[in-house]
């Protein structure tokens, strides 16, 4: 039966969702289609959502279906939320030891429907939740995975489960069984959240050992395959803070659509106990309650508390008719949670103090400082946390009526924006950049640290300057330029179909270069890549041009491009400028590879942040700077339709078009659908992890490079590239890679024929390739070399 290619737009829980190929078969054995999967997730949402709410979701995707026993389907884990995901799905950034991932959190049926749309059949979640600020909390549940080895099955798992139930009950924990939908049984027990993941993981390990001691002929606690025959593995490791477990009511990528299903203890006595399919689960839940509902209640209650009106306490302390302070009415009147503003107010109440307020999660999180902000790193001041305030309070000055809460005069001591370094329970580190003439008198870095009931505020040394070295380093400009750096906003990859009402969008040409943030203070200029690397010495002509503009405390966002003889951007030409720092090398390179700085956004002007201005407002202010061309240019935005903009971009030989919502604010460090990039050719950043020797003229030298993308904590092989190189490029790559040779493969998976004569290297170099499409096996088809991306790190490479 031919598969239709139609695209449907449906509404799920008030959210619009684009569905493609609804009759695509994902489970061939049962002929279960994508539409069936989506319908299941929407129907089961009332039972599934309480078990995933406020938990980050790692998805296991079968984009071409699960296959069959002879030809299993291609599958991969996905942690980062792709650019194509709807903007209404909640996003949470989680820091890992050497990188950060942006995960989705599924809070409604629409998010589950989207998972079905992208063939994310399995949903895996950790045992911990995040709060409304996206901060990781202590685990609120413990799980033991009873995994049968060869020769045993569900009956043996039931026997172990009953024994574990009695053992945990003696410890004051009630357990709930879940048939996993794969082979065994999961046992859940609710926790009160007082212990961290390391503690819970160690506790679970001891439980597994105790079960092994009591049932030595039936249980093992070690994962060694050689000792698992005829026994049940009690896998305790899923309580590790970095591990996840299949979510209750999630589908499994099995031959038929089986489900991880909460069961009653009575059911475990059934002689026909088996793993249930999604059809059986839907029929079952029509007449039953969720046996695991009690465990999900704590999560649901916490989630409900986290999403209640953040300003309830603020309102309860004020009479809107008797105070000049802003008092929003009714439902929560908060921002979108992305802003980074601050205000410090001098407050002459019953006693003089200063109110220190940071915008976070749509409100001003507030502390009272009886002695003001500290002016010396050797003296900490008391900080008493108070109620959250509305964002409008950031501009409030006036006299609060005597007899009202906080009665007295309020003036703004300083205000501006801040760069966030850390925001965790009990610890906040920020760098504040105030207004000219403000009380801070320049950027200041502060740490707020909770000690018992109250907090302390501590003045820290600038992040790029050690506290023990007060001397200014030898440089042509102050190193404090980095303090003005703003992490750039990123665009999502899309297509013309993603642009709805074209009147709501502005269209800019997409320049083929490296992203750069310029921090300008009169003649002092700093240039920084999107991940904050200082590249100022490499582009002196840009520094000189910016210094000549007489700008004060200004931050610009743009693209450094190399221009060929025809005046068009040439990414290959730009390669000769990347990474150079020595003056003689830079001078030689700039003669044959001149660069220009294409400025497309204004982030700060004369010390005033523009981040919360709309695109149209920032654009107007940028044009008012009077940049007239030459090395620094402000390219014109396209006034016509998107189709005409795309056509002009192709005619000019550019990379594509950037569509930007006119009402959008600048969200530093965020990848937003408010900026959508539409490319003419598919391109992908990759990490070089090896090479294969060539033949003929390339004998003994690089014939092709082996490429990977970081996925699920490892490096996944995505193909090899052997075209698009010049001889000088190959010589440079050979030199670079020879210094990082290693004996073992860095990939988590690589085809045997590729690995046969491979030369492995430590994956340090990021590159970019163009390609035709992705193959069914997840490899690049017809990739061609574009160049090294010195402006990016391997951990920051994501699947476009």
């Amino acid at each position: 039966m031919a598969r239709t290619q139609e695209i449907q737009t449906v509404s799920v829980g008030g959210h619009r969702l684009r569905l493609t190929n609804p009759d695509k078969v994902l489970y061939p054995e049962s002929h279960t289609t994508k539409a069936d999967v989506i319908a299941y997730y929407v129907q089961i949402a009332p039972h599934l959502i309480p078990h995933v709410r406020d938990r980050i979701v790692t998805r296991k995707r079968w984009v071409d279906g699960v296959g069959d026993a002879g030809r299993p389907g291609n599958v991969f884990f996905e942690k980062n939320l792709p650019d194509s995901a709807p903007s209404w799905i909640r996003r949470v950034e989680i820091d890992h030891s050497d990188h950060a991932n942006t995960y989705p959190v599924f809070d409604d049926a629409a998010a589950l429907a989207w998972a079905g749309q992208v063939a994310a059949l399995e949903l895996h979640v950790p045992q911990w939740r995040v709060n409304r600020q996206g901060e990781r909390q202590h685990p609120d549940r413990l799980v033991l995975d009873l995994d049968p080895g060869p020769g045993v099955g569900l009956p043996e798992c039931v026997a172990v489960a009953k024994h574990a139930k009695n053992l945990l009950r003696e410890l004051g924990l009630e357990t709930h069984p879940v048939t996993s939908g794969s082979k065994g049984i999961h046992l859940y027990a609710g926790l009160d959240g007082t212990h961290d993941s390391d503690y819970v993981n160690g506790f679970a390990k001891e439980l597994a050992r105790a079960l092994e001691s009591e049932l030595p002929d039936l249980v093992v606690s070690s994962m060694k395959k050689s000792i698992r025959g005829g026994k049940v593995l009690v896998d305790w490791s899923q309580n590790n803070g970095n591990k996840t477990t299949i979510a209750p009511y999630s589908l499994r990528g099995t031959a038929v659509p089986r489900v991880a299903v909460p069961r009653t203890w009575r059911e475990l006595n059934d002689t026909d106990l088996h793993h249930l399919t999604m059809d059986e689960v839907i029929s079952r839940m029509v007449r039953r309650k969720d046996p695991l509902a009690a465990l999900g209640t704590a999560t649901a209650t916490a989630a409900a508390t986290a999403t209640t009106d953040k300003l309830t306490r603020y309102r309860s302390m004020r009479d809107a008719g008797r105070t000049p302070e802003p008092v929003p009415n009714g439902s929560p009147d908060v921002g979108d949670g992305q802003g980074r503003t601050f205000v410090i107010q001098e407050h002459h109440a019953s006693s003089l103090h200063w109110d220190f307020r940071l915008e976070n999660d749509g409100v001003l999180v507030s502390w009272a400082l009886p002695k003001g902000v500290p002016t010396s790193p050797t003296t900490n001041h008391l900080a008493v946390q108070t109620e959250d305030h509305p964002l409008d309070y950031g501009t409030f000055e006036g006299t609060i009526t005597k007899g009202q809460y906080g009665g007295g005069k309020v003036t703004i001591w300083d205000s501006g924006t801040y760069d966030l370094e850390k925001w965790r329970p009990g610890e906040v580190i920020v760098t504040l950049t105030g207004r000219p003439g403000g009380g801070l008198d320049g950027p200041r870095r502060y740490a707020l640290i909770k000690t018992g009931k109250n907090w302390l505020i501590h003045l820290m040394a600038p992040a790029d300057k050690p506290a023990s070295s007060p001397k200014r380093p030898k440089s042509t400009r102050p190193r404090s330029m980095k303090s003005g750096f703003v992490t750039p906003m990123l665009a999502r990859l899309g297509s013309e179909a993603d642009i709805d009402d074209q009147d709501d969008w502005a269209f800019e040409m997409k320049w083929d270069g490296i992203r750069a943030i310029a921090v300008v203070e009169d003649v002092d200029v700093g240039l920084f890549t999107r991940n904050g690397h200082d590249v100022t010495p490499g582009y002196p002509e840009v520094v000189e041009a910016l210094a000549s503009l007489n700008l004060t405390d200004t931050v610009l966002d743009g693209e450094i491009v190399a221009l060929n003889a025809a005046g068009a951007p040439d990414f290959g030409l730009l390669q000769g400028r990347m990474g150079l720092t020595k003056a003689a090398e830079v001078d030689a390179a700039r003669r044959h590879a001149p660069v220009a700085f294409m400025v497309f956004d204004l982030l700060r002007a004369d010390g005033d942040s523009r981040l919360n201005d709309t695109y149209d407002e920032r654009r107007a202010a940028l044009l008012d700077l009077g940049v007239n061309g030459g090395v620094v240019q402000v390219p014109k935005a396209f006034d016509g339709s998107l189709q005409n903009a795309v056509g002009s971009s192709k005619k000019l030989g550019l990379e594509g078009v950037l569509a930007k919502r006119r009402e959008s604010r600048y969200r530093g460090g965020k990848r937003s659908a408010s900026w959508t990039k539409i490319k003419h050719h598919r391109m992908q950043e990759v990490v070089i992890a090896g090479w294969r020797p060539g033949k003929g003229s390339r004998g003994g030298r690089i014939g092709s490079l082996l490429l990977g993308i970081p996925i699920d904590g490892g490096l996944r092989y995505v193909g090899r590239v052997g075209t698009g190189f010049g001889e000088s490029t190959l010589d440079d790559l050979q030199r670079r890679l020879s210094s990082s040779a290693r004996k073992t493969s860095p990939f988590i998976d690589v085809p045997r024929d590729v690995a046969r004569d491979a030369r492995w290297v430590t994956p340090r170099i990021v590159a970019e390739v163009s390609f035709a499409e992705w193959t069914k096996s997840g490899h690049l088809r017809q990739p061609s070399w574009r160049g090294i991306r010195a402006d990016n790190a391997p951990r920051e490479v994501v699947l476009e």
Side-chain angles (χ1 to χ4, degrees):
M1 179 178 177
R3 192 172 77 211
T4 60
Q5 301 295 324
E6 65 177 9
I7 298 176
Q8 302 176 6
T9 300
V10 299
S11 178
V12 182
H15 294 298
R16 292 172 63 82
L17 181 66
R18 295 173 69 247
L19 304 182
T20 59
N21 300 325
D23 60 340
K24 181 177 183 178
V25 176
L26 298 181
Y27 292 88
E29 186 172 317
S30 58
H31 203 72
T32 302
T33 65
K34 182 191 288 188
D36 297 328
V37 167
I38 293 172
Y40 167 76
Y41 272 133
V42 171
Q43 287 178 272
I44 205 64
H47 303 295
L48 193 158
I49 289 297
H51 301 298
V52 299
R53 182 177 283 124
D54 293 328
R55 301 184 197 273
I56 61 172
V57 183
T58 297
R59 290 85 61 215
K60 198 171 181 180
R61 295 178 58 190
W62 281 264
V63 293
D64 297 308
V66 300
D68 52 39
R71 295 179 302 169
N74 181 46
V75 59
F76 61 93
F77 271 99
E78 188 173 58
K79 291 185 177 181
N80 275 305
L81 191 63
D83 292 345
S84 58
S87 59
W88 40 259
I89 293 180
R90 182 183 173 193
R91 290 154 167 81
V92 170
E93 187 171 282
I94 298 294
D95 289 326
H96 298 282
S97 58
D98 60 350
H99 68 286
N101 287 330
T102 300
Y103 294 88
V105 175
F106 291 171
D107 290 335
D108 54 30
L112 296 179
W114 172 80
Q117 156 62 23
V118 298
L121 303 180
E122 292 191 2
L123 311 177
H124 294 249
V125 293
Q127 316 319 324
W128 46 269
R129 299 182 294 111
V130 294
N131 63 12
R132 61 188 174 102
Q133 287 84 23
E135 299 162 335
R136 178 170 164 171
Q137 307 297 290
H138 286 168
D140 61 351
R141 68 188 191 190
L142 174 146
V143 63
L144 295 177
D145 179 6
L146 311 184
D147 186 7
V152 295
L154 276 179
E156 289 77 12
C157 290
V158 169
V160 176
K162 291 179 177 179
H163 204 91
K165 173 188 177 184
N166 294 331
L167 178 60
L168 285 162
R169 178 170 287 172
E170 292 175 5
L171 298 172
L173 295 174
E174 289 299 319
T175 52
H176 310 268
V178 173
T179 48
S180 70
S182 177
K183 293 187 295 181
I185 292 174
H186 294 160
L187 284 183
Y188 286 92
L191 302 176
D192 61 9
T194 58
H195 298 291
D196 63 16
S197 294
D198 289 341
Y199 178 94
V200 175
N201 197 48
F203 175 73
K205 184 177 182 179
E206 293 305 315
L207 283 174
R209 287 178 173 175
L211 288 168
E212 183 179 30
S213 176
E214 295 184 13
L215 302 171
D217 296 330
L218 186 57
V219 171
V220 293
S221 62
S222 170
M223 296 187 186
K224 292 181 180 179
K225 292 184 178 180
S226 59
I227 62 173
R228 292 185 55 189
K231 294 186 178 182
V232 174
L233 167 67
V234 178
D235 183 359
W236 47 269
S237 68
Q238 293 180 37
N239 299 282
N240 183 305
N242 295 320
K243 295 291 187 68
T244 58
T245 305
I246 191 76
Y249 296 106
S250 170
L251 288 167
R252 301 304 300 253
T254 45
V256 295
R258 294 206 294 261
V259 178
V261 187
R263 314 297 284 265
T264 64
W265 282 105
R266 179 177 294 180
E267 282 184 282
L268 262 58
N269 294 323
D270 292 347
T271 56
D272 64 343
L273 180 69
H274 63 282
H275 295 287
L276 303 178
T277 65
M278 71 179 194
D279 291 337
E280 290 176 300
V281 173
I282 290 297
S283 298
R284 165 192 178 90
M285 299 314 294
V286 169
R287 61 183 187 276
R288 291 175 181 250
K289 294 182 178 179
D290 176 16
L292 201 59
L295 192 65
T297 299
T299 300
T301 301
T305 302
T307 57
T308 55
D309 186 349
K310 304 168 192 173
L311 301 177
T312 297
R313 187 178 175 212
Y314 174 90
R315 290 192 185 91
S316 70
M317 302 167 74
R318 289 162 177 84
D319 183 345
R322 302 183 65 186
T323 180
E325 299 164 282
V327 184
N329 294 320
S331 60
D333 190 340
V334 298
D336 62 5
Q338 304 298 318
R340 290 285 181 262
T341 63
F342 82 92
V343 64
I344 302 172
Q345 290 156 318
E346 187 172 332
H347 193 169
H348 292 263
S350 55
S351 61
L352 172 64
H353 65 275
W354 285 257
D355 294 315
F356 186 95
R357 311 190 196 282
L358 300 175
E359 180 180 354
N360 187 63
D361 199 27
V363 294
L364 290 173
V365 181
S366 302
W367 292 262
L369 311 181
K371 295 185 178 181
V373 294
T375 57
S376 169
T378 61
T379 304
N380 298 329
H381 287 181
L382 175 66
V384 181
Q385 189 164 18
T386 60
E387 71 277 13
D388 293 344
H389 282 53
L391 295 185
D392 287 349
Y393 218 103
T395 58
F396 173 70
E397 290 184 299
T399 300
I400 302 172
T401 307
K402 186 177 180 180
Q404 295 298 299
Y405 175 76
K409 186 177 181 180
V410 177
T411 58
I412 294 179
W413 187 76
D414 207 344
S415 64
T417 61
Y418 70 87
D419 291 327
L420 178 62
E421 184 175 336
K422 185 180 295 185
W423 195 303
R424 295 176 180 171
E427 183 181 19
V428 177
I429 301 178
V430 294
T431 298
L432 308 182
T433 302
R435 59 190 182 182
L440 290 174
D441 192 27
R444 293 289 183 267
R445 183 169 174 242
Y446 289 99
L448 286 149
I449 303 166
K450 191 171 186 180
T451 58
K453 182 179 179 181
N454 286 318
W455 298 63
L456 293 176
I457 184 169
H458 168 68
L459 175 64
M460 304 178 72
D464 59 343
K465 183 177 180 181
S468 60
S469 179
K471 295 181 179 179
R472 177 170 167 174
K474 294 180 180 180
S475 174
T476 59
R477 61 191 178 85
R479 286 188 64 186
S480 60
M481 300 304 297
K482 177 64 181 294
S483 66
F485 172 74
V486 177
T487 305
M489 181 172 173
L490 303 176
R492 294 184 180 277
L493 183 64
S495 67
E496 295 182 44
D498 296 317
I499 308 304
D500 38 28
D501 188 342
Q502 294 194 18
D503 290 338
D504 294 337
W505 297 79
F507 307 115
E508 299 177 359
M509 299 295 104
K510 191 174 190 313
W511 300 97
D512 199 3
I514 62 170
R515 188 78 170 273
I517 298 294
V519 182
V520 187
E521 178 61 63
D522 297 322
V523 296
D524 291 320
V525 176
L527 295 175
F528 304 94
T529 65
R530 66 188 185 189
N531 51 15
H533 292 164
D534 189 338
V535 292
T536 312
Y539 305 98
E541 63 265 61
V542 176
V543 173
E544 294 161 6
L546 288 169
S548 70
L549 295 177
N550 297 316
L551 301 175
T552 301
D553 196 3
T554 296
V555 180
L556 304 168
D557 187 1
E559 194 94 356
I560 296 174
V561 299
L563 303 175
N564 60 23
D570 187 330
F571 187 72
L573 193 62
L574 186 61
Q575 293 286 295
R577 296 291 300 269
M578 290 184 182
L580 300 182
T581 56
K582 295 180 180 178
E585 294 177 342
V586 173
D587 288 342
R590 66 184 287 190
R591 284 194 291 271
H592 72 273
V595 300
F597 185 40
M598 303 296 186
V599 182
F600 48 73
D601 220 319
L602 177 64
L603 312 186
R604 187 161 65 245
D606 290 329
D608 293 329
S609 172
R610 294 283 184 172
L611 300 181
N612 282 322
D613 291 353
T614 67
Y615 167 84
D616 282 342
E617 291 168 341
R618 298 196 311 276
R619 180 76 186 180
L622 176 60
L623 294 175
D624 285 344
L625 293 181
V627 177
N628 296 319
V631 173
V632 178
Q633 304 177 28
V634 178
K636 292 182 178 180
F638 198 86
D639 294 329
S641 67
L642 173 59
Q643 292 72 24
N644 289 339
V646 171
S648 295
S649 177
K650 289 180 179 178
K651 186 176 180 180
L652 294 170
L654 300 179
E655 186 183 352
V657 170
L658 266 174
K660 299 181 178 180
R661 283 197 181 274
R662 294 185 179 278
E663 293 300 315
S664 64
R665 270 61 175 175
Y666 194 96
R667 301 308 180 205
K670 301 296 181 182
R671 192 177 295 276
S672 171
S674 294
W675 285 14
T676 297
K677 53 187 175 183
I678 301 166
K679 294 184 176 182
H680 306 319
H681 308 286
R682 302 193 72 174
M683 282 175 276
Q684 174 65 52
E685 288 187 350
V686 291
V687 182
I688 301 173
W691 57 278
R692 296 182 68 187
K695 298 178 181 179
S697 63
R698 289 197 194 176
R701 301 172 64 219
I702 294 174
S704 61
L705 297 172
L706 307 183
L707 312 174
I709 295 177
I711 292 178
D712 195 30
L715 192 65
R716 182 165 69 86
Y717 174 77
V718 295
R720 49 185 173 145
V721 60
T723 60
F725 304 106
E727 287 301 316
S728 61
T729 299
L730 285 173
D731 291 341
D732 178 59
L733 284 168
Q734 197 82 56
R735 176 182 56 80
R736 289 172 181 258
L737 297 180
S738 63
S739 64
S740 58
R742 57 185 279 175
K743 294 182 179 180
T744 58
S745 168
F747 294 112
I748 57 176
D749 60 337
V750 63
R752 186 174 301 175
D753 62 318
V754 173
R756 187 174 298 118
D757 60 349
R759 309 292 194 268
W760 307 116
V761 299
T762 300
R764 298 191 183 108
I765 299 176
V766 175
E768 187 173 68
V769 296
S770 59
F771 66 106
E773 61 182 350
W774 289 102
T775 68
K776 290 185 177 181
S777 57
H779 296 164
L780 299 161
R781 189 186 300 281
Q782 299 173 2
S784 179
W785 176 262
R786 279 178 47 79
I788 291 175
R789 298 293 322 205
D791 57 332
N792 209 359
R795 67 177 181 274
E796 294 168 332
V797 173
V798 297
L799 190 68
E800 285 278 10

